[in-house]
Amino acid sequence: MMEKTTPYAANYNSALSFLKLDQKEPAIETLKRALSQVPEADKSEDNATYLGILASLAFLSLEKRESRQAAAYVDEGLTVKKNHADLLFVRALLLVDAQRFDEVLETAVHYLLALQESDAPRYGYRYTHPGALKEVYDTLIPMACRYALQYDQIKDIVDKLWHSTKSEWIKRAHEAMEKAGAARNCQTN
């Protein structure tokens, strides 16, 4: 028996089609309509469509420099699923804009850990491609390391995570932090 498609899922798929055609305004309107159609009972961590709607709206809001709206979408989604990679990625970008660098590091590490969750494929993450990972390793982590007040403590946690998880993503974060830490030490000497 084929599963019935909900109106919000249909609108979400339409919005993704608009995005593929780089038609962002119609995509935003369709995503907002989709979000308004999600019943409270469907707002759960098991609902990849609902979380995808929120992540898409958050990223598009961030692109439009509507940080408060983007943060509201991120907060709503992370309240439901605290380890949603796309929402964590957007949160890290928002935290950079707010110059909350300790939290950028923490969020980047949570983002990387979310990528190795066993249920990750189920969510069809859109911000886990090589370009997004390059942004995390080459921009977000080094910038956050440069200005983080608790750099040493966070680096110690990442070191322990790397040794306990043996994750390649965490290893690369550790390496990026080491490199940024060396530059940080040169600046303070």
Side-chain angles (χ1 to χ4, degrees):
M1 181 172 174
M2 196 166 154
E3 203 173 301
K4 181 181 156 190
T5 301
T6 63
Y8 65 85
N11 278 319
Y12 178 57
N13 290 328
S14 294
L16 294 178
S17 295
F18 283 128
L19 288 174
K20 285 180 185 172
L21 299 171
D22 201 31
Q23 296 179 356
K24 293 180 181 176
E25 288 306 317
I28 291 169
E29 291 308 312
T30 306
L31 287 164
K32 286 181 179 179
R33 186 175 329 113
L35 183 59
S36 73
Q37 295 169 325
V38 179
E40 284 300 316
D42 288 3
K43 293 181 178 181
S44 70
E45 74 175 284
D46 296 329
N47 191 337
T49 301
Y50 164 62
L51 293 166
I53 292 167
L54 290 171
S56 297
L57 280 168
F59 193 80
L60 290 166
S61 296
L62 182 63
E63 277 188 343
K64 291 178 71 174
R65 303 245 180 250
E66 296 172 351
S67 296
R68 283 190 180 154
Q69 189 60 56
Y73 293 130
V74 167
D75 290 345
E76 182 177 341
L78 290 177
T79 298
V80 173
K81 181 165 177 53
K82 67 179 179 168
N83 62 344
H84 190 276
D86 284 349
L87 292 166
L88 288 166
F89 181 74
V90 176
R91 183 172 194 265
L93 297 174
L94 287 165
L95 290 167
V96 166
D97 288 347
Q99 298 184 354
R100 293 167 48 189
F101 298 109
D102 292 288
E103 292 174 74
V104 171
L105 282 176
E106 178 185 334
T107 301
V109 170
H110 284 283
Y111 162 80
L112 295 169
L113 290 170
L115 298 179
Q116 64 191 36
E117 293 284 323
S118 61
D119 64 351
R122 174 171 188 252
Y123 293 95
Y125 293 133
R126 297 178 59 224
Y127 305 108
T128 59
H129 53 79
L133 289 166
K134 182 174 175 39
E135 179 76 9
V136 169
Y137 294 125
D138 296 351
T139 305
L140 297 180
I141 290 175
M143 180 189 306
C145 286
R146 191 173 311 124
Y147 300 109
L149 298 175
Q150 298 180 1
Y151 166 79
D152 292 326
Q153 294 90 330
I154 296 169
K155 186 181 156 306
D156 287 344
I157 292 168
V158 171
D159 185 50
K160 289 174 185 168
L161 275 171
W162 171 45
H163 286 93
S164 67
T165 65
K166 302 297 184 206
S167 164
E168 272 304 306
W169 288 306
I170 300 298
K171 177 184 177 189
R172 286 189 58 199
H174 179 266
E175 291 168 351
M177 289 184 79
E178 288 278 330
K179 185 176 178 183
R184 177 184 169 112
N185 289 336
C186 288
Q187 290 176 348
T188 58
N189 292 335

